Amino acid sequence: MKVAVFSTKTYDRQFLTDANTESNHELVFFESRLTHDTAALASGFEAVCAFINDELHAETLRKIASKGTKLVALRSAGFNHVDLHTATELGIKVVRVPAYSPQAVAEHAVGLILTLNRKYHRAFNRVRESNFSLNGLLGFDLYGSTVGIVGTGKIGVCFAQIMKGFGCNLLAYDIYQNPLCVEMGVKYVELPELLRNSDIVSLHCPLTKESHHMINTESLKDFNPGAMLINTSRGGLIDTKAVIDALKSGRIGYLGLDVYELEGSLFFEDLSDQVIQDDIFGRLINFPNVVITGHQAFFTRNALQNIAQATISNITDIATGRPCPNIILPEQAIAV
Ligand code: NAD
């Protein structure tokens, strides 16, 4: 199949090319994001391969459909950025990579917790400047602390396993209870109870209409004062302005983010010689108790290999008419 691959970096090209050796799809790599303005690049391509910050709104889908695209192959698990109703209407199939390395994301969430707690980022800079003072680096034992997990699917369960290893008490909130978590001794409670009783809250649920801004001015009032909030899931789960207020008042004591509501115009690019126009983001990065990474939780060798192999296999399934286990059904529509 002839595939227009958007939002590609050197590493995407390398892993996808390796995975494509036997299937021999015609992959054409574009650095640019897929948006309404760049959709013309997909002209004449049966398939478009997209990543998380590509825009698959109705307008873009109509444009690519009119130029012959019949398949959207996502290189991601999340599909909140795709208008599935419009895709179905236009006869475009959408496939994704439901799991590639839940461990990669769970481990990154733990990395954010350790960094915020023991302040490795500050210690690293101090020692390089021969400043060996410990003032301001005081942390707390994870052992015995309570961790609240919101969403106990593939990533949430890996995260629970790791935090159990640290000796934490585990609470969880999910619409379904995961038997693996129950077996591990995780206690399921309602969201307000989880927020009230957790020293650390980590978000691992998808972004849907229901979960959009689940952390907002109201729910922040339930937080244990000074608690830590970690989000490696999707930026839209958090009302960022409300979180800034909560950081200023001390309602939350630490914030670790790998995702951000308006990350589309920032993440994955080197903007180091530009003035960032997003004042909310600018405010966030100036708190001493905030650590932000640019959507890198998935970014391990293992995960990239799995993403590339599953993406090529999904495209081959559709190209050869084989049933594809990773097709997204219209009833799964969760675009927000
Ligand atoms: P999953 O589908 O296995 O698990 C999601 C869990 O969330 C399920 O148990 C589901 O019941 C629960 N859930 C759904 N709606 C909920 C709600 N409103 N409140 C509480 N729980 C709810 O998904 P996963 O593989 O564990 O991935 C979780 C999320 O992580 C993805 O949706 C994606 O947004 C994000 N993710 C981020 C990265 C990254 O690099 N930062 C990488 C992969 C995935």
Side-chain angles (χ1 to χ4, degrees), residues 52 77-80 96 98-102 105 150-157 173-176 178 203-208 210-211 214 231-234 258-259 295-299:
I52 37 191
F79 52 94
N80 53 286
R96 66 174 180 139
Y100 38 87
S101 175
V105 183
V150 181
T152 51
K154 293 179 283 297
I155 295 171
V157 79
Y173 167 69
D174 196 312
I175 26 190
Y176 304 106
N178 185 327
L203 307 180
H204 298 288
C205 63
L207 177 61
T208 62
E210 292 71 38
S211 66
M214 73 189 322
N231 187 10
T232 55
S233 203
R234 282 292 180 268
D258 186 52
V259 286
H295 211 135
Q296 71 170 83
F298 73 99
F299 197 59

Side-chain angles (χ1 to χ4, degrees), residues 38 49 62-63 89 102 109 144 150 172 197 202 209 223 239 297 308 329:
T38 61
C49 182
R62 285 200 187 96
K63 204 159 171 184
E89 228 174 73
V150 181
N197 292 298
S202 193
K209 281 196 185 94
F223 270 68
D239 176 347
L329 303 170

Side-chain angles (χ1 to χ4, degrees), residues 5-174:
V5 192
F6 282 87
S7 295
T8 58
K9 305 285 180 209
T10 323
Y11 45 83
D12 297 305
R13 291 168 199 205
Q14 182 201 322
F15 282 96
L16 283 165
T17 305
D18 290 350
N20 190 38
T21 332
E22 283 177 19
S23 308
N24 259 323
H25 295 294
E26 190 184 330
L27 306 180
V28 178
F29 297 106
F30 296 105
E31 263 181 54
S32 48
R33 283 167 63 213
L34 174 61
T35 63
H36 183 254
D37 295 333
T38 61
L41 291 170
S43 189
F45 286 86
E46 277 173 280
V48 155
C49 182
F51 199 45
I52 37 191
N53 288 327
D54 287 315
E55 290 176 5
L56 292 144
H57 309 150
E59 240 188 317
T60 313
L61 288 168
R62 285 200 187 96
K63 204 159 171 184
I64 60 174
S66 73
K67 306 283 181 198
T69 298
K70 295 188 165 43
L71 170 67
V72 169
L74 300 175
R75 309 198 292 285
S76 61
F79 52 94
N80 53 286
H81 54 312
V82 185
D83 184 335
L84 280 183
H85 289 304
T86 306
T88 311
E89 228 174 73
L90 295 166
I92 295 181
K93 292 190 171 83
V94 184
V95 293
R96 66 174 180 139
V97 184
Y100 38 87
S101 175
Q103 289 81 6
V105 183
E107 289 168 13
H108 191 78
V110 178
L112 288 174
I113 292 172
L114 287 169
T115 305
L116 282 164
N117 178 15
R118 307 305 294 270
K119 300 158 182 73
Y120 296 141
H121 53 311
R122 299 180 71 188
F124 175 80
N125 286 327
R126 277 191 197 185
V127 170
R128 280 161 69 98
E129 291 179 5
S130 307
N131 174 358
F132 304 106
S133 160
L134 298 183
N135 285 332
L137 301 185
L138 192 66
F140 62 90
D141 287 3
L142 288 179
Y143 179 84
S145 61
T146 300
V147 177
I149 307 166
V150 181
T152 51
K154 293 179 283 297
I155 295 171
V157 79
C158 289
F159 176 75
Q161 279 158 347
I162 303 173
M163 297 321 288
K164 189 178 158 69
F166 275 101
C168 299
N169 306 309
L170 303 178
L171 298 178
Y173 167 69
D174 196 312

Side-chain angles (χ1 to χ4, degrees), residues 184-237:
M184 218 188 293
V186 175
K187 186 177 168 209
Y188 278 90
V189 293
E190 288 303 313
L191 186 60
E193 191 180 340
L194 178 147
L195 300 179
R196 271 197 300 275
N197 292 298
S198 298
D199 302 302
I200 299 168
V201 174
S202 193
L203 307 180
H204 298 288
C205 63
L207 177 61
T208 62
K209 281 196 185 94
E210 292 71 38
S211 66
H212 182 248
H213 283 187
M214 73 189 322
I215 304 298
N216 54 37
T217 306
E218 278 313 300
S219 57
L220 281 160
K221 288 182 188 153
D222 288 326
F223 270 68
N224 191 358
M228 183 186 293
L229 173 61
I230 302 291
N231 187 10
T232 55
S233 203
R234 282 292 180 268
L237 295 176

